Structure formats: C-alpha cells, structure tokens
Amino acid sequence: MHLCIPLTCILAAYCYFLGGVIILSTKISRYDIISQQEKQLRYTIREGEKKSPWIKSQLSKAGLTANDIKTREDLQKMPFTTKQDLRDNYPFGLLACPLEDVVRFHASSGTTGKSTVVYYTQEDINTWAGLMARVLKTTGLTNKDTMQIIYTYGFFTGGFGFHYGAERLGISVIPSGAGNSKKQLEIMKDFKTTSFTSTPSYALHLAEVADEMGVDPEKDLSLRQGVFGAEPWTEKIRERIEQAFDIDAYDNYGLSELCGPGVACECEEKNGMHFWEDYFILEVIDPDTGEVLQDGEKGELVFTPLWRQAMPLIRYRTGDISRIMDDECTCSLPFKKIERITGRSDDMLIIKGVNIFPSQIEEVISQHPEFRGHYQIIVEKEGAMDGLTICMEVTENLFSGNLKDLLQVQKELENSMRSTFFISSKIKLVEEGAIPRSMGKAKRVIDNRRNKK
Ligand code: DLL
C-alpha cells in the first residue's frame, strides 16, 4: 500500500487495520482526508506517468506533466477516461505493470456493449479485500456471522469481491454462487446462514421460492441481514426483501473498472452510501457538458482510484447518476455519502421527448400495494410515435377475483404514470412468475426502437 507514512501514523491512533486498509472507528477531520487524497493523487499521477502508457498519453494530451497535478482542483485539468477508452485499449492497453505481476483478471458484465477487462496485482487484490471488509463491517457484519455469497464467481467481480472481503473480516463464507434457488434455501437452513448477498432482484426471486417451498424465514432460517447491489433498486424493493426474509437489507455500490464491489455502502442508517474517500476521489459532473458540479447536485459519478497498481485510472466516467449528500450521518464514519444510484446516463429512455430512468418508473409502480417487485419496460414504435408498455407482476388473488378489480388497478397505475411523466403508457398486469428471472442483474428494459434502426 502506498499510504503516506506520517499521516498513516496519525490515523492509526483512531483506527485499526484490515489487510492494509484502514477501518476508521471515529471521526477524523475533513482536512486530514483531503490531505491524504492529495498526497495519494500526486503519487498515483507520478507513478502513472512512469509506468502507465495510458496515463502518460492522457497527460500529454492535456499538455501536462505529473508535476502539474498536485491538488483536487488540478485534477480537473486531466481528460476523462471512458468505457470506450477501455474497449479501445482491449485487452492490455491500460496495463501499468509487467504482465507477470498480474495475478487476476476480471471483466465487466458487458450489459451496455463489449465487456471490458480489468487487471489486479496481488497488492491490488489485498487492498480490494480490505475495502470489501470495510463494506461488510459497515453493514454490521462480524466474525460471528455466516455469509452465503449468491453471486457468480467468474469474470463478474461480485462473487470474488465479497468472498475475499468476508474472509478478511473473519466471516464464515459459504461460496454457493448464483442459481439453484431451492438448494440455496436448504443451505441457508442447514448452515444457519446469518447473511446473504445477491442482486436485489434475485433476492426477491429467492423469497418467492421460499414461499413455494413453505420455508418460513422467521422460524426456519437464522438470517439477520443482507447486502445487495450491482443493479438499481428502490426503497419499496428494500421493504419487500426485508419483510420477506425478516432482515435488514443494505445497499452497496461498485463497478469492475474500479475494482468491483467495495466502493460505497450503507451504514445502519440506510440512507445513502458512504464512499471510501481515502481510496477514491469522487467528482460529480454534468453528463452533457463535463462541468464539475457542487456537492448536492445530481450528475454522473467520476472516480479516480488512488491505490491501483496494475490498472490506475484517472477520472473514470462511470455513467452512474447520483449526488454527493451534504448532510452529516449519525454513524461514526467520517466519509461522505452518495445517494442511491438512480440509473446510468446511458440507461435513460427518451419517450415522446420525455427523459425517464427505469428506476423512476419503478418508483411509481412500486407504490401500488398489488405490485410484486418484478417488472419489465417495453418501448417500441407505434407508427411514428414511441409507445411505452409496463408489464408488472401483481398478486395472484387479483386474477382469481373480479375482472373489474383488475381493470381498476390498471387504470390507477396508468393515471399515476400520466400524472408523473405527462405521457400515456399501457400497463399490462401479469401473474407472478410471468417475467423471466435472472440469476444476476435483472433485464428491466426492452427497447425495440433500437432494434428497428
Ligand atoms: O456490478 C460490481 C458489484 C457487484 C457491485 C456486487 C455491487 C455488488 P459491474 O458488473 O461492472 O460491477 O457493473 C457496474 O452496476 O456502473 C452501476 O451501473 C451498477 N451498480 C452497481 N452497484 C449498484 C447499486 C458490479 N448499488 C454497474 N445500485 C455500475 C445501482 C449499481 N446500480
């Protein structure tokens, strides 16, 4: 780890270490955090200029040398790095160390195009594990817990990220991987699992399977909490998961390009995710102009990791939309929080000229008591116009009852959509299980307009 020694010594008085990553237990000043960030930034740029052809080319593109970047403000002189840059440099163009020092490859899920590769040295893996241990500790887990990891182990970072972090914290890990829901529930019961991690949409699916199997989470399982992420979800979905499993459900955020999970997570307040400011500099920008916004303003998250050896990145544009919250948290962590991610800038739908994120649609439909958590948004051309249909699963008894009730629910929802977005849409109510389930990230949008080009 390249932590600056004198500052580390000061911080050590307040904290303890987990695999080189500092887990803070009391408040440190904003001044100390910023000084640490800037020291690490200078180090990252200096090393990058020497070792990373990519960072060297970015510096020269801006007519700069490493000496010109000393502060957070100076960082704004540097160009952004985008997913397209990673694709253009596939597979090894961003490597900043000899290939023999690389101990791991991961790749993004490629939901919005060709997947992108990331590489790690052993030290990168150690730091990542420490950052993930910090996530898990922040959500209240300890070495007394048993965690079932219901993410794919493979190119996707979810499985390995949680696995290494949980082991680092001394949690008993069940690496069950994604899929086979019945088996997952049996394992939960037999091993007295106290926590599990998956995508929120998969957690909902697991709750349905538990119901079908007659598993009563309160009586039959030992779960007390769960950590969910990798896709957008709403407060209503949290409520549903918490009720179904009788647990506290925490949000956590990350992306492969930065390490994987381990960038930000909720504390017991469950109101915004603390991001690890001593390991990342975060800027929020206007996605159209690239202008850096003030704290509190909503925009695209841009991260500069301050610790990576194999693949340092400067000003990485995540595409994710959120804002830095300016209110203080009641927990003891000194790090600022970001609001729940509302979507990706490239997920935004423009329907009849109105900009809508899928999560905003979820916000509206999830208010209805009959909603079961699963939905799909279908956009297609109806003549020259855009047509929007929302298929949503509703409670079983609605179909066995009166047709009038069904039509009433449909009408109520269409009215809510119209009054929120000022456009008309069709609501198609379907039975539970009608929408395909995913073992990982849910596919919420089918935009047939794109296919018709
Ligand atoms: O999804 C890493 C991860 C694994 C995070 C497990 C959390 C838990 P990627 O496959 O590269 O990596 O996808 C990253 O997923 O840019 C966001 O758009 C989205 N995303 C991740 N976490 C959240 C979240 C992993 N909590 C992309 N809320 C990111 C909303 C999220 N979206």
Side-chain angles (χ1 to χ4, degrees):
M1 208 48 267
H2 327 291
L3 285 176
C4 318
I5 300 307
L7 192 66
T8 308
C9 293
I10 301 165
L11 293 175
Y14 299 93
C15 37
Y16 67 93
F17 289 79
L18 257 180
V21 173
I22 299 168
I23 303 285
L24 291 158
S25 55
T26 51
K27 292 201 181 257
I28 58 164
S29 69
R30 294 299 310 161
Y31 176 81
D32 281 346
I33 289 177
I34 304 293
S35 325
Q36 177 157 345
Q37 280 185 332
E38 294 191 336
K39 277 186 185 155
Q40 284 305 112
L41 174 65
R42 288 193 284 274
Y43 180 87
T44 302
I45 299 270
R46 230 176 24 242
E47 289 295 292
E49 188 180 47
K50 277 191 262 165
K51 296 179 181 163
S52 159
W54 171 251
I55 291 182
K56 202 167 178 219
S57 75
Q58 290 287 83
L59 279 165
S60 67
K61 198 157 112 190
L64 302 167
T65 69
N67 274 338
D68 297 312
I69 311 292
K70 296 201 166 68
T71 64
R72 286 174 53 113
E73 285 68 41
D74 293 340
L75 184 59
Q76 295 182 20
K77 298 179 201 159
M78 287 292 284
F80 296 114
T81 304
T82 63
K83 206 177 187 78
Q84 192 55 44
D85 293 322
L86 267 64
R87 290 192 186 118
D88 294 345
N89 286 281
Y90 175 92
F92 297 138
L94 286 123
L95 197 58
C97 67
L99 197 54
E100 54 265 36
D101 290 349
V102 171
V103 299
R104 178 93 66 82
F105 294 107
H106 278 286
S108 80
S109 48
T111 40
T112 54
K114 192 168 186 271
S115 66
T116 45
V117 187
V118 279
Y119 358 98
Y120 307 69
T121 62
Q122 187 56 56
E123 208 166 301
D124 289 335
I125 294 282
N126 294 348
T127 308
W128 181 26
L131 294 173
M132 268 312 294
R134 185 190 271 189
V135 163
L136 300 174
K137 185 178 157 52
T138 302
T139 66
L141 289 164
T142 72
N143 61 0
K144 293 195 174 64
D145 282 290
T146 299
M147 181 172 225
Q148 200 161 321
I149 297 178
I150 314 184
Y151 278 124
T152 308
Y153 284 68
F155 267 148
F156 179 59
T157 48
F160 285 103
F162 272 84
H163 186 107
Y164 279 64
E167 281 190 351
R168 186 60 56 81
L169 198 59
I171 292 170
S172 313
V173 173
I174 304 174
S176 55
N180 203 346
S181 309
K182 285 191 177 150
K183 189 84 193 150
Q184 297 283 359
L185 289 158
E186 278 165 24
I187 294 170
M188 262 180 197
K189 202 167 163 183
D190 296 345
F191 287 65
K192 302 202 181 316
T193 302
T194 60
S195 163
F196 76 101
T197 182
S198 69
T199 54
S201 54
Y202 186 75
L204 279 181
H205 172 60
L206 206 57
E208 291 160 355
V209 178
D211 204 31
E212 280 161 27
M213 288 169 69
V215 173
D216 176 349
E218 215 175 316
K219 271 209 328 267
D220 302 329
L221 304 179
S222 312
L223 291 172
R224 65 177 193 87
Q225 70 99 274
V227 187
F228 306 100
E231 65 184 10
W233 52 314
T234 54
E235 235 8 81
K236 278 280 167 204
I237 300 291
R238 186 205 308 266
E239 267 172 39
R240 201 166 279 279
I241 295 172
E242 292 194 329
Q243 273 168 16
F245 288 106
D246 192 25
I247 57 172
D248 281 305
Y250 296 94
D251 196 1
N252 82 107
Y253 166 78
L255 55 155
S256 352
E257 295 88 328
L258 296 180
C259 59
V263 177
C265 74
E266 287 180 330
C267 60
E268 69 262 24
E269 254 205 15
K270 293 194 246 174
N271 173 29
M273 295 181 277
H274 292 280
F275 59 96
W276 309 139
E277 290 179 272
D278 45 350
Y279 286 81
F280 300 93
I281 291 179
L282 171 60
E283 300 164 278
V284 179
I285 62 161
D286 178 324
D288 297 324
T289 63
E291 180 206 348
V292 177
L293 303 175
Q294 299 291 314
D295 281 9
E297 290 186 89
K298 211 168 195 154
E300 179 178 346
L301 304 181
V302 172
F303 282 97
T304 300
L306 301 170
W307 51 278
R308 290 183 67 195
Q309 292 189 333
M311 191 174 158
L313 289 176
I314 306 293
R315 305 192 86 196
Y316 184 70
R317 284 186 70 155
T318 62
D320 294 321
I321 304 294
S322 178
R323 68 181 182 94
I324 297 178
M325 299 165 75
D326 29 26
D327 44 337
E328 286 217 355
C329 189
T330 53
C331 85
S332 62
L333 283 174
F335 305 116
K336 288 191 178 172
K337 297 194 285 194
I338 48 171
E339 198 174 63
R340 183 185 277 288
I341 310 288
T342 37
R344 300 180 49 79
S345 50
D346 45 16
D347 271 357
M348 193 180 72
L349 294 162
I350 304 179
I351 301 167
K352 297 176 187 165
V354 180
N355 299 354
I356 308 176
F357 283 106
S359 61
Q360 292 175 298
I361 295 181
E362 183 178 317
E363 245 353 295
V364 175
I365 60 176
S366 66
Q367 299 305 322
H368 204 286
E370 304 290 348
F371 177 55
R372 298 303 295 155
H374 296 280
Y375 67 98
Q376 215 157 40
I377 298 165
I378 299 158
V379 194
E380 46 208 346
K381 279 275 175 225
E382 288 172 355
M385 301 287 283
D386 299 328
L388 170 65
T389 306
I390 297 134
C391 287
M392 56 185 275
E393 289 184 15
V394 285
T395 35
E396 208 79 355
N397 53 11
L398 209 58
F399 290 95
S400 47
N402 201 324
L403 179 66
K404 254 170 71 192
D405 294 341
L406 206 61
L407 293 173
Q408 176 64 26
V409 172
Q410 201 171 354
K411 208 165 143 201
E412 279 172 20
L413 281 156
E414 285 175 354
N415 286 343
S416 312
M417 285 291 295
R418 190 175 304 105
S419 59
T420 311
F421 302 112
F422 304 105
I423 56 167
S424 58
S425 59
K426 282 188 216 125
I427 298 282
K428 190 171 162 199
L429 304 177
V430 294
E431 287 176 33
E432 288 183 67
I435 291 173
R437 304 293 191 256
S438 156
M439 297 304 141
K441 302 185 190 227
K443 184 163 173 50
R444 298 289 192 210
V445 180
I446 300 174
D447 192 342
N448 290 325
R449 294 174 304 181
R450 287 178 200 150
N451 304 340
K452 285 209 173 135
K453 269 195 190 149

